[in-house]
């Protein structure tokens, strides 16, 4: 099948997995590189990697992965702080190292004191004002940073921006600047509503219809039977001492059941693709690659081979 038939698929490689009780393992840079190689074996569009206090630098981890992979896209975290030109140079460097496979997930960020103050006023008019200001600053930062790619040459011209958004203010930022927006619907109707809002905000920002891709995030706990998946989830929840809750929907079941959900959200919900969050790494990633991908391929919903070499190419985005 051609590169752009069916939908797009990515995975989040964050820590030991998306579940708080995921068994702690020594995820060294080499271990992350092996995870990315595994995802590439499944022909996924890209991986995302987060960083932060106590975690290794996501761009450096993916720079290592670039040397042991050939096609898969590499998307590190990129908080919108500091010098926009230095930010752009960091991602352009990864784009060179990967021969045009880099993207970046910008995140609107506050200082610790500002974050603490914001938490005290969330849900109030003052909180709404501060959130709007935060995302307005992030938009100004991204305008400067992406313009810097014109003077800091990058193989793709401008590596794709992938933003996570949960509400209108971040949707507006993603619609104005993003090539991919990760959204967190709980059902098909919610996905339809989010898609409609994002498209409206893209038009408001003066961008062409379908200028970007909408990916729905899904936490996954997989097993070879429904009973096995339920038992895995129950064990994780027992270890955590509480139910598994998340901004994104939690799916526990078989690869076939997950394929059913993704197919419905693609055909009826309007998703262009999905970012799966494995509950435990590498366990759920292995099942995604060996179990889910073949099911999707048999249904004609996912590629059977890479036909592009850049991340923009995988996503079917226009060259810039």
């Amino acid at each position: 099948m051609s590169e752009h038939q069916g939908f797009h698929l990515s995975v989040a490689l964050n820590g030991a997995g998306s579940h708080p009780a995921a068994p702690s393992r020594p995820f060294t840079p080499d271990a992350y590189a092996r995870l990315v190689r595994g995802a590439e074996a499944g022909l996924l569009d890209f991986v995302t990697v987060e960083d932060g206090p106590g975690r290794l630098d996501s761009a450096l981890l993916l720079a290592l992965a670039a040397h042991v992979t050939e096609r898969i896209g590499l998307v590190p975290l990129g908080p919108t702080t500091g010098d926009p030109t230095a930010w752009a140079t960091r991602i352009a460097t990864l784009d060179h190292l990967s021969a045009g496979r880099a993207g970046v997930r910008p995140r609107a960020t506050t200082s610790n004191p500002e974050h603490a103050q914001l938490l005290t006023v969330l849900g109030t008019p003052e909180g709404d004002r501060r959130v709007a200001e935060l995302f307005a600053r992030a938009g100004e930062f991204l305008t400067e940073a992406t313009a810097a790619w014109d003077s800091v040459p990058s193989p793709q011209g401008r590596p794709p921006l992938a933003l996570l958004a949960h509400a209108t203010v971040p949707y507006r930022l993603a619609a104005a600047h993003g090539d991919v927006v990760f959204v967190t619907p709980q059902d098909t109707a919610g996905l339809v509503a989010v898609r409609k809002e994002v498209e409206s905000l893209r038009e408001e920002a003066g961008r062409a219809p379908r200028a970007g891709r909408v990916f729905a995030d899904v936490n996954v706990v997989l097993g070879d039977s429904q009973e096995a998946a339920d038992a895995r989830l129950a064990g994780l929840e027992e270890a955590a001492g509480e139910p598994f809750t998340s901004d994104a929907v939690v799916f526990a079941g078989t690869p076939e059941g997950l394929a059913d959900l993704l197919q419905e959200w693609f055909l009826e919900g309007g998703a262009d693709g999905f970012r799966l969050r494995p509950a435990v790494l590498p366990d759920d990633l292995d099942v995604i690659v060996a179990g889910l991908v073949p099911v999707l391929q048999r249904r004609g919903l996912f590629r059977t081979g890479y036909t592009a070499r850049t991340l923009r190419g995988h996503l079917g985005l226009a060259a810039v």
Side-chain angles (χ1 to χ4, degrees), residues 73-153:
L74 308 170
V75 181
L77 188 67
T80 56
T81 58
D83 177 6
T85 300
W87 186 95
T89 301
R90 176 176 179 248
I91 304 306
T93 301
L94 179 60
D95 207 35
H96 279 285
L97 291 172
S98 62
R101 293 183 285 129
V104 60
R105 186 174 89 74
R107 183 172 67 193
T109 305
T110 62
S111 65
N112 288 336
E114 186 180 8
H115 181 70
Q117 293 173 1
L118 180 59
L119 290 177
T120 66
V121 294
L122 281 179
T124 69
E126 174 65 13
D128 293 345
R129 183 186 67 79
R130 292 192 184 189
V131 168
E133 289 178 351
L134 169 64
F135 280 88
R137 292 198 303 269
E140 293 168 359
F141 181 98
L142 291 177
T143 296
E144 292 186 44
T146 54
W149 278 325
D150 296 334
S151 58
V152 183

Side-chain angles (χ1 to χ4, degrees), residues 215-227:
F215 277 50
D217 274 17
V218 182
N219 293 284
V220 296
V221 183
L222 298 170
D224 55 12
S225 68
Q226 186 63 53
E227 293 74 16

Side-chain angles (χ1 to χ4, degrees), residues 172-197:
R172 181 171 286 111
L173 177 68
H177 297 276
D179 300 290
V180 174
V181 52
F182 300 121
V183 299
T184 54
Q186 296 298 308
D187 53 31
T188 305
L191 175 56
V192 170
V194 168
R195 171 103 218 188
K196 182 177 180 181
E197 182 172 8

Side-chain angles (χ1 to χ4, degrees), residues 241-315:
E242 59 185 4
F244 184 19
T245 60
S246 171
D247 57 331
V249 71
V250 176
F251 173 88
T254 64
E256 291 80 6
L258 179 57
D260 291 341
L261 174 66
L262 303 187
Q263 183 169 355
E264 177 181 335
W265 281 13
F266 171 57
L267 296 177
E268 300 180 25
D272 298 304
F274 302 91
R275 181 173 65 156
L276 304 181
R277 303 180 188 178
V280 178
L281 289 168
D283 308 42
D284 290 296
L285 174 61
D286 292 343
V287 180
I288 289 167
V289 171
L292 174 66
V293 167
V295 173
L296 297 176
Q297 290 170 332
R298 287 195 294 270
R299 297 185 187 187
L301 294 170
F302 192 61
R303 64 170 66 87
T304 56
Y306 286 117
T307 62
R309 290 192 171 274
T310 68
L311 179 52
R312 296 192 74 87
H314 294 332
L315 294 171

Side-chain angles (χ1 to χ4, degrees), residues 221 225-238 252:
V221 183
S225 68
Q226 186 63 53
E227 293 74 16
D230 288 341
R232 285 192 66 222
L233 178 57
L236 289 167
E237 291 181 335
E238 181 179 2

